[in-house]
Amino acid sequence: MQRRIALVAVDAQWRDPNGTFFSFSYGIEKLRASLDSAPDLAGTEILLLDLPSGDPEDFFERVREFQPTMVGLSTYVWSLSIFAGLTERLRKHRPELVIVAGGPSARRSVLDLPQYHPLRDRLDAVIPGEGEEVLRQLVRHHLEPDWRTRIPGLMLPTRGLWRSTEAAERPAINEYPSPYQLGVAPLHKTGYVETFRGCPIHCAFCQWGEQKSDRVHDAAYLEAHLEGLRQADVPNVFFLDAAFNLSPRAFRALVAAEAKVGVLKDSVVHGHLYPTFLEEYHLEFFDQIKQVQASIGIQSFDADVLDRLGRPFDVARFERVLKKIRGRLGFDIELMFGLPGDNPSSFRRTVERSLELGDTVKAFKCLILPDALLERAAELSIEYDPVTFEILSCEGWTAEDLEREWDWLYGLAEQSERPILNDDWVGFAITSADESADESADESPDDAHESGEGGRVQELVARPLLEAHALGRLRDAVAELAAGWGLEAVRGEPDGLFFDLHGPDGAVVLEVVRLEQGARYFAAREGLAYSHRGPVDRASSGGLQQVIDVVHADAKKLVPAL
């Protein structure tokens, strides 16, 4: 019987404040590459299904048409409910079909939640660890009647009575080519790079958990991978590593590979930095890259909170590092809102300190994830929503605290110069210290007094784009009138107005500027020019025209004010 494998993922469509991030599910692409690179699996038919849809029926129809012998689900918190609906349909359609789940949320602690018992009971097996070699074994043997006893690295749920097969060896990551090396990664999408796997720091709130960081890709592997990024014509590059600078061996390999390929020097590069371990040789490498946008995950400035959650942090060293990197690369300070053990007053102090130090600040609602806080929920008095995995209350935060402080944070972001407003995270840009000093030099003493004292909270430019209710209205209108399209956020920047959208084929950024004679644009309305970045083909361009019709009235009001 011909082996036919459907690999299924839900594209989360990351909402990018810079308007350059065009996502896809890289994890499922890596698994397909592990199958494509196995010589004995060359005749296997593979369907990779990575849809931005939230409707299980969309996935079911595509899988049903393919008629697979096995379905593999790449499971994250945002795909659990969708996969529950998909597996229900698949079991009714073909009860004998082999269905396995892997990914960060394919964990016993998740699937044993009452919410997900139906999903658990429709699965044949779960891959709780890394999937490259385990998936190869499943593809080889899933048509054999005794496959459950032959394959290591599986957990087998039988209505909650879990049993494990023998332990699987950790993959030697250099032995599995990346999708970029094989030329099968999507073209013109954000490029992904992994230089090492795991993390040497084991923070309680992080899903890296206890995974070691001793496996690195060597320079030859990374050289082939970087060349694949060039061939895929990626608009920017995102590093999946826990941080650029947490594995010296991996960083040396990256430097050697880039010296031969030279693709990053012309790229916009995103990734994380861990400030305690930043050295001059890291900065010298970043100086050679066209643009670096680094995220520095502070989470909290409360040392007691971080210490309890296993995150070492030296505030004095951090401030010294910021002086080194300011002007050499762009950086965001990332905070975690509602962190167990924190509290409202401490979080406000963290925000105010971040506004003094950062160029851009992002604050994310804390999620209770498997291999992290989910396993410590009772210890930290955490109550949470099993659908969104957002914390409803926990040690240090009542439900009323979380609601009130999120409203405060959202309102603070609304008043910033370039707000990013979402249901689960907000971001705002801060006028730099140098710019503030230049502006204050021309300010009279009376003007300075009227502007208020007490830090950067008062220095935020009070220029909201859309109030929360107006943004909700516009989102509803887009969803109703432009089929297959949705609005995520609205951003105003000096060079234009930006609508962050999701369309039928992925994330799209719609840019609006004043119409100039001779300039190229996608559509024009009453003196405004609309252009877009992201996947829009002939079939979906009509929907984007409808989106423009919906947002144009607001754009007319907002563009002149930028």
Side-chain angles (χ1 to χ4, degrees):
M1 185 177 181
Q2 175 72 27
R3 294 176 296 211
R4 299 176 63 82
I5 310 302
L7 301 176
V8 185
V10 179
D11 184 355
Q13 296 187 339
W14 173 249
R15 291 149 291 170
D16 167 41
N18 301 303
T20 59
F21 199 87
F22 305 111
S23 68
F24 64 95
S25 299
Y26 185 63
I28 203 77
E29 292 281 357
K30 286 202 72 174
L31 291 176
R32 178 175 67 171
S34 74
L35 300 181
D36 288 345
S37 58
D40 64 315
L41 299 179
T44 304
E45 293 288 335
I46 300 173
L47 168 70
L48 193 150
L49 197 56
D50 181 21
L51 300 180
S53 172
D55 187 352
E57 189 67 24
D58 293 341
F59 291 88
F60 171 68
E61 288 301 326
R62 297 281 293 276
V63 173
R64 181 186 61 80
E65 182 180 358
F66 180 66
Q67 297 184 6
T69 57
M70 188 182 87
V71 173
L73 306 175
S74 181
T75 313
Y76 292 78
V77 293
W78 59 79
S79 56
L80 285 161
S81 296
I82 298 169
F83 287 166
L86 171 61
T87 54
E88 180 182 17
R89 290 164 172 79
L90 289 174
R91 282 289 176 230
K92 290 178 180 177
H93 175 62
R94 285 180 55 198
E96 77 285 359
L97 180 64
V98 175
I99 305 176
V100 299
S105 291
R107 300 290 188 271
R108 180 174 180 174
S109 59
V110 174
L111 296 170
D112 275 348
L113 296 174
Q115 181 90 9
Y116 302 112
H117 285 179
L119 171 60
R120 177 197 67 192
D121 296 341
R122 290 190 285 265
L123 296 175
D124 291 293
V126 170
I127 306 173
E130 296 163 275
E132 289 100 332
E133 185 57 36
V134 179
L135 184 64
R136 284 181 176 181
Q137 295 295 336
L138 279 165
V139 173
R140 290 179 180 121
H141 301 299
H142 72 280
L143 294 175
E144 301 166 8
D146 61 344
W147 67 266
R148 291 173 179 82
T149 65
R150 299 185 58 180
I151 301 173
L154 296 177
M155 294 188 71
L156 308 174
T158 307
R159 297 192 176 277
L161 299 176
W162 292 82
R163 59 188 179 89
S164 301
T165 62
E166 64 179 280
E169 294 183 6
R170 290 197 305 162
I173 60 175
N174 253 16
E175 296 178 5
Y176 297 89
S178 76
Y180 293 103
Q181 293 170 340
L182 299 179
V184 297
L187 303 179
H188 317 305
K189 294 270 195 173
T190 291
Y192 293 95
V193 178
E194 176 191 58
T195 68
F196 69 99
R197 192 168 293 183
C199 183
I201 302 170
H202 307 302
C203 306
F205 51 79
C206 179
Q207 203 166 5
W208 286 112
E210 297 295 323
Q211 191 175 159
K212 296 179 181 179
S213 58
D214 55 339
R215 291 169 296 163
V216 306
H217 286 302
D218 62 25
Y221 185 100
L222 292 175
E223 183 180 339
H225 185 92
L226 294 179
E227 184 57 44
L229 293 177
R230 190 201 308 281
Q231 298 303 319
D233 193 21
V234 301
N236 62 343
V237 177
F238 184 83
F239 277 73
L240 297 164
D241 304 327
F244 286 116
N245 58 326
L246 282 178
S247 172
R249 283 194 298 140
F251 193 82
R252 289 194 296 270
L254 174 65
V255 171
E258 169 63 10
K260 290 190 174 182
V261 180
V263 69
L264 299 182
K265 67 181 178 62
D266 298 318
S267 299
V268 178
V269 173
H270 306 262
H272 286 78
L273 276 177
Y274 197 81
T276 302
F277 304 130
L278 189 68
E279 304 291 347
E280 180 62 27
Y281 67 84
H282 296 118
L283 294 175
E284 291 173 356
F285 177 72
F286 297 145
D287 287 342
Q288 302 171 34
I289 296 174
K290 175 183 176 182
Q291 180 182 336
V292 177
Q293 186 63 38
S295 295
I296 302 176
I298 300 304
Q299 320 310 351
S300 172
F301 277 106
D302 189 317
D304 291 338
V305 172
L306 294 177
D307 182 65
R308 182 174 180 188
L309 294 172
R311 187 175 184 85
F313 182 64
D314 183 333
V315 174
R317 178 171 173 77
F318 170 68
E319 294 185 4
R320 291 196 299 271
V321 165
L322 285 191
K323 291 180 181 179
K324 286 186 177 181
I325 68 175
R326 196 178 299 279
R328 294 179 75 173
L329 69 156
F331 66 92
D332 310 318
I333 290 180
E334 292 189 349
L335 309 177
M336 197 168 291
F337 172 81
L339 196 63
D342 204 355
N343 60 72
S345 59
S346 172
F347 181 75
R348 288 202 182 201
R349 289 194 298 271
T350 288
V351 171
E352 291 169 4
R353 188 70 178 126
S354 300
L355 298 181
E356 293 172 357
L357 297 172
D359 295 334
T360 304
V361 177
K362 299 175 183 176
F364 299 82
K365 287 184 178 179
C366 184
L367 298 185
I368 177 167
L369 299 174
D371 300 335
L373 289 176
L374 185 57
E375 277 70 21
R376 301 184 64 183
E379 174 189 342
L380 297 170
S381 303
I382 298 174
E383 298 291 333
Y384 61 97
D385 184 326
V387 176
T388 64
F389 288 82
E390 289 184 6
I391 292 176
L392 303 178
S393 66
C394 63
E395 184 178 304
W397 298 85
T398 66
E400 292 76 17
D401 289 339
L402 290 170
E403 182 177 359
R404 181 188 65 250
E405 295 304 306
W406 183 255
D407 287 344
W408 170 78
L409 184 64
Y410 195 98
L412 188 64
E414 273 188 317
Q415 298 174 52
S416 73
E417 185 174 359
R418 296 193 296 276
I420 310 297
L421 304 173
N422 298 293
D423 295 335
D424 53 357
W425 71 278
V426 295
F428 31 101
I430 311 303
T431 305
S432 73
D434 292 342
E435 291 171 340
S436 297
D438 292 342
E439 291 168 3
S440 62
D442 298 326
E443 196 176 54
S444 71
D446 288 341
D447 291 337
H449 177 74
E450 289 176 4
S451 68
E453 298 178 357
R456 299 293 287 280
V457 175
Q458 283 76 26
E459 293 175 19
L460 290 170
V461 179
R463 182 154 55 90
L465 284 179
L466 291 173
E467 300 294 338
H469 67 87
L471 181 61
R473 167 188 55 77
L474 200 56
R475 283 174 173 164
D476 291 344
V478 169
E480 179 180 355
L481 299 175
W485 290 85
L487 173 66
E488 301 290 352
V490 183
R491 298 178 286 114
E493 300 187 10
D495 54 348
L497 177 67
F498 298 86
F499 293 90
D500 293 329
L501 307 165
H502 63 260
D505 299 309
V508 174
V509 178
L510 181 65
E511 179 181 359
V512 193
V513 298
R514 295 179 185 275
L515 180 63
E516 295 183 4
Q517 193 68 30
R520 298 177 61 186
Y521 51 83
F522 173 72
R525 302 280 194 283
E526 298 180 285
L528 297 183
Y530 291 82
S531 304
H532 66 81
R533 296 193 298 275
V536 179
D537 58 19
R538 183 177 300 177
S540 57
S541 62
L544 184 57
Q545 292 279 5
Q546 292 176 316
V547 171
I548 293 171
D549 292 338
V550 173
V551 304
H552 178 64
D554 289 277
K556 280 198 303 181
K557 301 173 186 176
L558 295 172
V559 169
L562 295 176

